[in-house]
Amino acid sequence: MSMRRTTIKDVAEAAGVGVATVSRVLSGGSASPETRERVLTVATQLDYRPSALGRNLRQRRSGGIGLLVPDVTDSFYGRLADGVLACARSAGEPVILGATGDDPEREAEMVGMLLEQGVDRMIAIPSGSGEIWEPTLRTGLTAVFAHRVPAGRGDVPAVLADDRAGVRTAVDYLTGLGHRRIAYLGGPGQEQRVAAFRETLGPLVDEELLVFARGSRDSAYAAAAGLLQHRPDLTAVLAGGNLLGEAAVLAARELDLRVPRDLSLIMFDDVPWAELCAPPLTVIAQPAQDIGYRAAELVLRGGARRPRGVLLPTELVVRGSCAPRGTSRSPR
């Protein structure tokens, strides 16, 4: 009976480093001499043969598209994945799906595993860390980012919604209703949205009203509840995603704040439950399925000539979760 082949994760655990570090060392990237020696020694001892990061990478690939999303249960990412699958199916390409949890270490682990499985191309909604992508892209892998771009990786084609226009439209709508104390509830990889929020509000920006959560429901709820408890003077919230919007709705309900009488709320992502809320939520709609489809088109077209990125429009869908400032709660 054949023994299980050593993986990049085995090497990382034995060397006491992350998968991203092993990937970087094996592909000739930067690392301290001590770390490099330890990783190479462990790789030799475990007889590790990197099927994806070695010299014969191109010959070993078996095709297919790797797709990395933060959360397969999130309806926005589900619709984006559906777009990727639809395009891949028409091209006869299999798709291997992985969930990163917006955790850079787990993302690095998933990238390593997909490379070891001989994946030809990769579409990723990155966690925000650009560190792991340098050695990965050096292998010659065709990659496209969707929905966001990690720091320092503007050289990789990406399919994005026009976040800046979406934020500007939402903030202009709220200020037009008379709101001045507007909070932003954000999550991983939302640097563009935060920058647009600051620019649009200008001198009205209150840095204490910019609150960030990690990529989990518990963290989102804690951030939303803390914001609403500690700043009773705020009158409106812009939530940077549907998980954050859900947290804001739940926290407001727990604190007996009525939307929109006490608090106006706008959320990124037009997910099905947004219209079923009481009142229905005003949202910045993003074309999730189209983002996935266009990302798959780009990655399938990839080759010697790098394809250009794509910027897709957003739309402010006005419903019942916002009201003029005069009907909102007074500062305490």
mmCIF file of all heavy atoms in Angstrom, residues 4 13 18 24 40 44 71 75 80 93 105 113 125 144 154 160 162 180 205 251 293 302 304 309 312:
data_model
loop_
_atom_site.group_PDB
_atom_site.id
_atom_site.type_symbol
_atom_site.label_atom_id
_atom_site.label_comp_id
_atom_site.label_asym_id
_atom_site.label_seq_id
_atom_site.Cartn_x
_atom_site.Cartn_y
_atom_site.Cartn_z
ATOM 1 N N ARG A 4 0.973 8.090 2.087
ATOM 2 C CA ARG A 4 0.474 9.411 1.714
ATOM 3 C C ARG A 4 1.633 10.332 1.369
ATOM 4 O O ARG A 4 2.647 10.376 2.063
ATOM 5 C CB ARG A 4 -0.324 9.998 2.882
ATOM 6 C CG ARG A 4 -0.921 11.367 2.592
ATOM 7 C CD ARG A 4 -1.724 11.873 3.777
ATOM 8 N NE ARG A 4 -0.864 12.235 4.886
ATOM 9 C CZ ARG A 4 -0.345 13.458 5.047
ATOM 10 N NH1 ARG A 4 -0.580 14.397 4.152
ATOM 11 N NH2 ARG A 4 0.409 13.727 6.084
ATOM 12 N N GLU A 13 4.182 22.672 9.245
ATOM 13 C CA GLU A 13 3.981 22.267 10.641
ATOM 14 C C GLU A 13 5.284 21.770 11.261
ATOM 15 O O GLU A 13 5.608 22.108 12.404
ATOM 16 C CB GLU A 13 2.909 21.181 10.715
ATOM 17 C CG GLU A 13 1.502 21.702 10.418
ATOM 18 C CD GLU A 13 0.457 20.605 10.437
ATOM 19 O OE1 GLU A 13 0.850 19.415 10.500
ATOM 20 O OE2 GLU A 13 -0.750 20.926 10.386
ATOM 21 N N GLY A 18 4.525 29.233 8.775
ATOM 22 C CA GLY A 18 3.283 29.204 8.020
ATOM 23 C C GLY A 18 3.479 28.634 6.632
ATOM 24 O O GLY A 18 4.607 28.576 6.109
ATOM 25 N N ARG A 24 7.128 30.601 -0.029
ATOM 26 C CA ARG A 24 8.081 31.648 -0.409
ATOM 27 C C ARG A 24 9.503 31.100 -0.499
ATOM 28 O O ARG A 24 10.230 31.381 -1.450
ATOM 29 C CB ARG A 24 7.990 32.793 0.599
ATOM 30 C CG ARG A 24 8.716 34.052 0.182
ATOM 31 C CD ARG A 24 8.285 35.245 1.016
ATOM 32 N NE ARG A 24 8.549 35.041 2.425
ATOM 33 C CZ ARG A 24 7.603 34.904 3.351
ATOM 34 N NH1 ARG A 24 6.323 34.932 3.001
ATOM 35 N NH2 ARG A 24 7.899 34.733 4.625
ATOM 36 N N LEU A 40 14.203 24.187 4.305
ATOM 37 C CA LEU A 40 14.816 23.281 3.336
ATOM 38 C C LEU A 40 15.243 21.967 3.980
ATOM 39 O O LEU A 40 15.130 20.894 3.376
ATOM 40 C CB LEU A 40 16.010 23.968 2.665
ATOM 41 C CG LEU A 40 15.675 25.170 1.773
ATOM 42 C CD1 LEU A 40 16.943 25.814 1.238
ATOM 43 C CD2 LEU A 40 14.762 24.750 0.628
ATOM 44 N N THR A 44 13.681 18.298 3.013
ATOM 45 C CA THR A 44 14.525 17.164 2.638
ATOM 46 C C THR A 44 14.235 15.952 3.509
ATOM 47 O O THR A 44 14.108 14.817 3.031
ATOM 48 C CB THR A 44 16.008 17.551 2.754
ATOM 49 O OG1 THR A 44 16.275 18.668 1.894
ATOM 50 C CG2 THR A 44 16.900 16.377 2.360
ATOM 51 N N ASP A 71 -16.460 32.819 2.338
ATOM 52 C CA ASP A 71 -17.525 32.115 3.067
ATOM 53 C C ASP A 71 -18.537 31.562 2.061
ATOM 54 O O ASP A 71 -19.212 32.332 1.375
ATOM 55 C CB ASP A 71 -18.214 33.097 4.030
ATOM 56 C CG ASP A 71 -19.321 32.448 4.861
ATOM 57 O OD1 ASP A 71 -19.560 31.243 4.695
ATOM 58 O OD2 ASP A 71 -19.940 33.166 5.669
ATOM 59 N N SER A 75 -24.577 34.641 0.813
ATOM 60 C CA SER A 75 -25.296 34.614 -0.465
ATOM 61 C C SER A 75 -24.601 35.448 -1.541
ATOM 62 O O SER A 75 -24.685 35.126 -2.729
ATOM 63 C CB SER A 75 -26.739 35.091 -0.281
ATOM 64 O OG SER A 75 -26.784 36.418 0.211
ATOM 65 N N LEU A 80 -21.596 34.955 -6.636
ATOM 66 C CA LEU A 80 -20.350 35.152 -7.378
ATOM 67 C C LEU A 80 -19.815 33.803 -7.853
ATOM 68 O O LEU A 80 -19.416 33.654 -9.023
ATOM 69 C CB LEU A 80 -19.326 35.869 -6.492
ATOM 70 C CG LEU A 80 -18.035 36.335 -7.157
ATOM 71 C CD1 LEU A 80 -17.495 37.586 -6.443
ATOM 72 C CD2 LEU A 80 -16.957 35.265 -7.158
ATOM 73 N N GLU A 93 -14.498 23.453 -18.163
ATOM 74 C CA GLU A 93 -13.434 23.453 -17.149
ATOM 75 C C GLU A 93 -14.008 23.111 -15.774
ATOM 76 O O GLU A 93 -15.017 23.688 -15.361
ATOM 77 C CB GLU A 93 -12.764 24.828 -17.077
ATOM 78 C CG GLU A 93 -11.835 25.139 -18.228
ATOM 79 C CD GLU A 93 -10.477 24.455 -18.093
ATOM 80 O OE1 GLU A 93 -10.208 23.863 -17.031
ATOM 81 O OE2 GLU A 93 -9.707 24.524 -19.056
ATOM 82 N N GLU A 105 -3.653 32.949 6.748
ATOM 83 C CA GLU A 105 -2.981 31.661 6.880
ATOM 84 C C GLU A 105 -3.764 30.549 6.187
ATOM 85 O O GLU A 105 -3.205 29.701 5.508
ATOM 86 C CB GLU A 105 -2.771 31.315 8.357
ATOM 87 C CG GLU A 105 -1.566 31.987 8.990
ATOM 88 C CD GLU A 105 -0.252 31.561 8.333
ATOM 89 O OE1 GLU A 105 -0.056 30.360 8.089
ATOM 90 O OE2 GLU A 105 0.568 32.459 8.048
ATOM 91 N N MET A 113 -2.516 23.975 -1.472
ATOM 92 C CA MET A 113 -3.186 22.717 -1.807
ATOM 93 C C MET A 113 -3.677 22.717 -3.253
ATOM 94 O O MET A 113 -3.566 21.705 -3.958
ATOM 95 C CB MET A 113 -4.344 22.465 -0.844
ATOM 96 C CG MET A 113 -3.904 22.087 0.558
ATOM 97 S SD MET A 113 -5.246 21.439 1.585
ATOM 98 C CE MET A 113 -6.393 22.805 1.584
ATOM 99 N N ILE A 125 -11.013 35.747 -4.059
ATOM 100 C CA ILE A 125 -11.426 36.933 -3.317
ATOM 101 C C ILE A 125 -10.438 37.006 -2.158
ATOM 102 O O ILE A 125 -10.606 36.324 -1.147
ATOM 103 C CB ILE A 125 -12.862 36.821 -2.812
ATOM 104 C CG1 ILE A 125 -13.817 36.622 -3.993
ATOM 105 C CG2 ILE A 125 -13.252 38.067 -2.022
ATOM 106 C CD1 ILE A 125 -15.247 36.338 -3.595
ATOM 107 N N VAL A 144 -6.678 35.688 -11.306
ATOM 108 C CA VAL A 144 -7.546 36.862 -11.400
ATOM 109 C C VAL A 144 -8.178 37.074 -10.031
ATOM 110 O O VAL A 144 -8.631 36.118 -9.393
ATOM 111 C CB VAL A 144 -8.653 36.670 -12.467
ATOM 112 C CG1 VAL A 144 -9.697 37.781 -12.375
ATOM 113 C CG2 VAL A 144 -8.055 36.631 -13.865
ATOM 114 N N GLY A 154 -1.724 45.341 -7.463
ATOM 115 C CA GLY A 154 -2.448 45.994 -8.545
ATOM 116 C C GLY A 154 -2.020 45.517 -9.913
ATOM 117 O O GLY A 154 -2.618 45.900 -10.924
ATOM 118 N N LEU A 160 -14.002 44.033 -10.430
ATOM 119 C CA LEU A 160 -14.452 44.726 -9.230
ATOM 120 C C LEU A 160 -15.752 45.467 -9.499
ATOM 121 O O LEU A 160 -16.020 45.884 -10.628
ATOM 122 C CB LEU A 160 -13.393 45.728 -8.774
ATOM 123 C CG LEU A 160 -11.957 45.220 -8.610
ATOM 124 C CD1 LEU A 160 -11.013 46.394 -8.386
ATOM 125 C CD2 LEU A 160 -11.860 44.230 -7.462
ATOM 126 N N ASP A 162 -17.762 48.983 -8.701
ATOM 127 C CA ASP A 162 -17.293 50.356 -8.503
ATOM 128 C C ASP A 162 -17.643 50.809 -7.086
ATOM 129 O O ASP A 162 -18.618 51.532 -6.850
ATOM 130 C CB ASP A 162 -17.929 51.287 -9.542
ATOM 131 C CG ASP A 162 -17.247 52.644 -9.603
ATOM 132 O OD1 ASP A 162 -16.476 52.959 -8.668
ATOM 133 O OD2 ASP A 162 -17.491 53.393 -10.563
ATOM 134 N N ARG A 180 -25.406 63.941 9.598
ATOM 135 C CA ARG A 180 -24.032 64.427 9.705
ATOM 136 C C ARG A 180 -23.149 63.461 10.491
ATOM 137 O O ARG A 180 -21.961 63.364 10.236
ATOM 138 C CB ARG A 180 -24.025 65.815 10.382
ATOM 139 C CG ARG A 180 -24.728 66.897 9.562
ATOM 140 C CD ARG A 180 -24.026 67.125 8.231
ATOM 141 N NE ARG A 180 -24.672 68.142 7.421
ATOM 142 C CZ ARG A 180 -25.581 67.893 6.477
ATOM 143 N NH1 ARG A 180 -25.982 66.648 6.253
ATOM 144 N NH2 ARG A 180 -26.107 68.860 5.758
ATOM 145 N N VAL A 205 -16.095 63.800 8.659
ATOM 146 C CA VAL A 205 -15.628 62.477 9.100
ATOM 147 C C VAL A 205 -15.259 62.512 10.575
ATOM 148 O O VAL A 205 -14.527 63.380 11.038
ATOM 149 C CB VAL A 205 -14.406 62.009 8.280
ATOM 150 C CG1 VAL A 205 -13.787 60.772 8.908
ATOM 151 C CG2 VAL A 205 -14.810 61.691 6.863
ATOM 152 N N ALA A 251 -28.149 44.249 16.220
ATOM 153 C CA ALA A 251 -27.714 45.068 17.348
ATOM 154 C C ALA A 251 -28.711 46.184 17.627
ATOM 155 O O ALA A 251 -29.021 46.489 18.790
ATOM 156 C CB ALA A 251 -26.328 45.646 17.067
ATOM 157 N N TYR A 293 -18.715 35.682 -13.307
ATOM 158 C CA TYR A 293 -18.665 35.262 -14.722
ATOM 159 C C TYR A 293 -17.518 35.956 -15.450
ATOM 160 O O TYR A 293 -16.749 35.314 -16.177
ATOM 161 C CB TYR A 293 -19.994 35.570 -15.405
ATOM 162 C CG TYR A 293 -20.188 34.837 -16.717
ATOM 163 C CD1 TYR A 293 -20.923 33.657 -16.760
ATOM 164 C CD2 TYR A 293 -19.637 35.317 -17.904
ATOM 165 C CE1 TYR A 293 -21.102 32.971 -17.958
ATOM 166 C CE2 TYR A 293 -19.804 34.642 -19.098
ATOM 167 C CZ TYR A 293 -20.544 33.471 -19.120
ATOM 168 O OH TYR A 293 -20.702 32.786 -20.312
ATOM 169 N N GLY A 302 -6.497 34.163 -20.008
ATOM 170 C CA GLY A 302 -5.132 34.505 -19.595
ATOM 171 C C GLY A 302 -4.084 33.762 -20.401
ATOM 172 O O GLY A 302 -4.277 32.655 -20.845
ATOM 173 N N ALA A 304 0.015 34.794 -22.438
ATOM 174 C CA ALA A 304 1.189 35.651 -22.533
ATOM 175 C C ALA A 304 0.792 37.129 -22.408
ATOM 176 O O ALA A 304 1.495 37.925 -21.803
ATOM 177 C CB ALA A 304 1.897 35.413 -23.859
ATOM 178 N N GLY A 309 -8.294 44.509 -16.391
ATOM 179 C CA GLY A 309 -9.312 44.331 -15.374
ATOM 180 C C GLY A 309 -10.652 44.912 -15.816
ATOM 181 O O GLY A 309 -10.759 45.585 -16.846
ATOM 182 N N LEU A 312 -17.278 47.107 -12.762
ATOM 183 C CA LEU A 312 -18.710 47.004 -13.011
ATOM 184 C C LEU A 312 -19.477 47.998 -12.137
ATOM 185 O O LEU A 312 -19.067 48.279 -11.010
ATOM 186 C CB LEU A 312 -19.190 45.577 -12.725
ATOM 187 C CG LEU A 312 -18.545 44.492 -13.599
ATOM 188 C CD1 LEU A 312 -18.993 43.109 -13.135
ATOM 189 C CD2 LEU A 312 -18.892 44.695 -15.065
#
